[in-house]
Amino acid sequence: MYRDLQLYIDGDWRAAASGATREVTDPATEEVLGTIASADEKDLDDALAAAEAGFKVWRRTGPWDRARIIRRVADLIRSRADEIAMVMSLETGKPIGEAKGEVGGAADQFEWYSEETKRIYGQVIEGRTGESRMAVIHQPVGVVAAFSAWNFPALLPARKMAAALGAGCSIIVKPAGEAPASCAALVQACHDAGVPKGVVNLVTGNSDKIARHLISSPIVRKVSVTGSVPVGKQILHLAADGVKKVSMELGGHGPVLMFDDVDAEKVAEMCARTKFRNCGQVCISPTRFYVHESKYAAFSAKFAEVARSLKVGRGLDEGTEMGPLANRRGLQTIQEMVEDAKSRGAEVLAGGQVPPGSNRGYFFEPTVLGRVPDDALIMREEPFGPVAPIATFSSYNEVIERANALPFGLAGYVFSNNLSVATRAYEDLEVGMVGVNEMLLATAEAPFGGIKESGMGREGGSFGLHDYLETKYVKIRLQEQAS
């Protein structure tokens, strides 16, 4: 079911030149699933040379031909959805239903960009004189180095791969070592769909060494990253030396503002089911719940009720609604945050510990904390796990100031039936994305990304394509026409 993975370079799967490998483990059982190749400098140089050659071919491939190939990738991913989802559930622990949904979302990215590649429009500017002609064209930036995260191991690389291919770029993708097989399945779909050799390459191994080697190469002209804020800052420093084009989607700490004119129990159920999706390991997860003080009792009681009702278990087990965290360090961080909040006066309304009897895997109960003070660690740093901290507020200006107090700005959520309040709130929140009475934001046709320390650039939608293009202005002076 889970096979050992090799590198994919210049159209072939191959072992690392050194023969080195790393283990991939199941977060639900802590058992070894298989191994991945660990690339060395020779492998990376081969990938760079392949991507450089592949770019020369792909950039000259017409948009309609690119579109047909990219659409075939989408079709192949959908036809293999069950197989890919099974592998994804094993390497991430997420419930099989969530895994299937993610595979569908990854296919959507390729379908969307198969269509957008035919819509890379330029601009004609009226010349000031009769002899002048001015135009703007968009051209592919070049070879892309893409680094992805483990929490959505198919969707995240799909956003990068599909946009790069749509723009006419070649790409070297480095998936997370915790969950590489899902990305490998996308690469295989590209191979089988007829993407020319060298256009898509996959390398695995030591993330820091791979990043430094690829980004320092003059062959790479664009870097795309999904990861934590510290990782993003490190890569931004590396890219600065070569003045590389960079886009990055980093961590967030999504505030939820629930005003006093909504059904508190209905909103609480929506928030709870969204919060515990993928065990809370979602970059746009709602992570700070600011509830109007008049609605706190009803909201917190319903939230805790939903949390206690969720079935926790292995992703492949029937009926599982929440799986484990992806790794031990994530589990330890969540435990530290809960203990810190309790020490500052927060109330444990549900969960708060490793499930009784659990002695294997990185499981933690769906947890709800009530009346959490703003100085608690969990209110200041992103809780990448199944813990929901709830606080109260009394006025609009107060809650906006508290929501914007952190250096993060990825996603935020507003619940209000008052058009004026909702409009002002989504305008005033310092984030890149806002859901108003809605929590499911990610979709292929919309831009995805944040502001402040949550990143720069956008993935998804037509805006996502332009992060893989360079704008070129052309001015022509016509020669005098012979009489």
Side-chain angles (χ1 to χ4, degrees):
M1 186 182 297
Y2 197 99
R3 63 181 179 86
D4 294 340
L5 296 176
Q6 297 181 310
L7 310 175
Y8 182 80
I9 298 174
D10 203 24
D12 290 314
W13 293 100
R14 71 183 215 191
S18 66
T21 62
R22 293 185 167 205
E23 293 181 342
V24 180
T25 59
D26 182 340
T29 65
E30 301 182 54
E31 296 176 351
V32 175
L33 291 169
T35 62
I36 56 173
S38 188
D40 63 13
E41 289 188 1
K42 180 184 184 311
D43 299 313
L44 299 177
D45 285 338
D46 288 348
L48 287 164
E52 184 176 36
F55 174 59
K56 292 176 182 177
V57 173
W58 190 243
R59 72 175 303 178
R60 300 300 181 193
T61 303
W64 283 72
D65 291 329
R66 290 204 307 267
R68 279 190 287 270
I69 294 173
I70 298 170
R71 180 54 191 259
R72 281 202 293 270
V73 177
D75 293 340
L76 286 171
I77 293 170
R78 291 195 177 103
S79 71
R80 301 168 183 177
D82 289 345
E83 174 189 343
I84 299 171
M86 188 79 70
V87 168
M88 185 189 300
S89 183
L90 282 171
E91 64 184 6
T92 64
K94 66 176 60 181
I96 190 67
E98 289 186 16
K100 288 181 180 178
E102 181 181 340
V103 175
D108 287 349
Q109 294 292 327
F110 285 94
E111 179 177 344
W112 172 263
Y113 283 111
S114 74
E115 298 163 350
E116 284 299 289
T117 191
K118 296 179 285 188
R119 301 184 180 95
I120 301 175
Y121 300 131
Q123 184 182 28
V124 174
I125 303 170
E126 190 71 19
R128 292 194 178 192
T129 68
E131 294 77 31
S132 295
R133 302 291 187 271
M134 294 186 288
V136 177
I137 62 173
H138 301 289
Q139 296 179 306
V141 65
V143 175
V144 177
F147 302 88
S148 191
W150 46 260
N151 55 327
F152 287 92
L155 177 59
L156 299 180
R159 285 182 179 147
K160 305 174 192 304
M161 294 166 64
L165 293 176
C169 298
S170 61
I171 186 168
I172 304 170
V173 60
K174 195 281 176 187
E178 293 95 334
S182 301
C183 181
L186 305 186
V187 172
Q188 186 63 53
C190 290
H191 176 96
D192 296 341
V195 174
K197 68 177 187 177
V199 176
V200 172
N201 304 272
L202 179 145
V203 295
T204 51
N206 183 288
S207 297
D208 183 64
K209 290 181 179 179
I210 290 173
R212 290 181 182 279
H213 195 89
L214 293 183
I215 297 173
S216 66
S217 170
I219 292 173
V220 169
R221 294 309 312 157
K222 154 78 180 181
V223 181
S224 176
V225 183
T226 300
S228 67
V229 172
V231 167
K233 289 181 177 180
Q234 180 184 14
I235 287 181
L236 194 59
H237 278 286
L238 294 174
D241 287 338
V243 196
K244 315 281 185 179
K245 191 179 181 79
V246 176
S247 60
M248 49 182 60
E249 186 261 293
L250 309 178
H253 203 333
V256 179
L257 283 52
M258 196 197 85
F259 292 91
D260 60 359
D261 62 341
V262 295
D263 183 329
E265 292 191 353
K266 182 178 178 181
V267 173
E269 176 146 9
M270 183 189 299
C271 288
R273 297 200 179 277
T274 304
K275 170 61 202 175
F276 298 120
R277 185 171 67 96
N278 200 28
C279 199
Q281 300 167 125
V282 182
C283 53
I284 59 170
S285 178
T287 48
R288 292 178 287 152
F289 296 87
Y290 297 105
V291 180
H292 192 273
E293 56 191 7
S294 66
K295 298 285 187 174
Y296 172 78
F299 180 89
S300 59
K302 184 64 176 179
F303 206 122
E305 177 188 325
V306 174
R308 288 190 292 267
S309 74
L310 297 176
K311 180 180 178 181
V312 178
R314 190 165 177 258
L316 294 177
D317 292 345
E318 186 176 354
T320 294
E321 296 174 281
M322 194 184 86
L325 286 105
N327 49 55
R328 186 170 298 281
R329 68 179 180 274
L331 174 60
Q332 292 171 342
T333 298
I334 286 299
Q335 290 173 314
E336 292 168 3
M337 286 184 165
V338 170
E339 291 306 311
D340 173 80
K342 287 164 60 178
S343 72
R344 297 174 188 273
E347 306 165 356
V348 179
L349 305 179
Q353 61 184 358
V354 171
S358 175
N359 56 13
R360 299 182 73 185
Y362 311 123
F363 293 98
F364 197 76
E365 293 178 330
T367 298
V368 183
L369 303 177
R371 301 195 182 280
V372 183
D374 285 356
D375 65 351
L377 182 64
I378 199 169
M379 297 296 276
R380 293 180 284 112
E381 297 183 9
E382 181 181 24
F384 218 57
V387 183
I390 305 174
T392 62
F393 72 91
S394 58
S395 71
Y396 177 87
N397 289 338
E398 169 208 343
V399 74
I400 290 294
E401 182 177 355
R402 291 165 67 189
N404 290 338
L406 300 185
F408 312 110
L410 190 56
Y413 304 90
V414 175
F415 287 91
S416 176
N417 293 322
N418 184 310
L419 180 61
S420 179
V421 170
T423 301
R424 288 195 174 101
Y426 79 67
E427 290 178 348
D428 289 343
L429 281 176
E430 296 173 355
V431 295
M433 300 170 281
V434 183
V436 178
N437 301 327
E438 171 64 270
M439 306 207 84
L440 300 179
L441 298 180
T443 185
E445 62 269 28
F448 190 101
I451 62 173
K452 299 197 287 189
E453 290 190 10
S454 288
M456 60 182 67
R458 292 297 180 267
E459 294 185 315
S462 56
F463 292 95
L465 195 66
H466 283 270
D467 270 305
Y468 294 85
L469 296 169
E470 293 284 17
T471 300
K472 179 180 287 185
Y473 155 62
V474 182
K475 184 174 182 180
I476 302 170
R477 177 172 294 280
L478 303 180
Q479 296 296 320
E480 291 186 10
Q481 191 170 12
S483 57

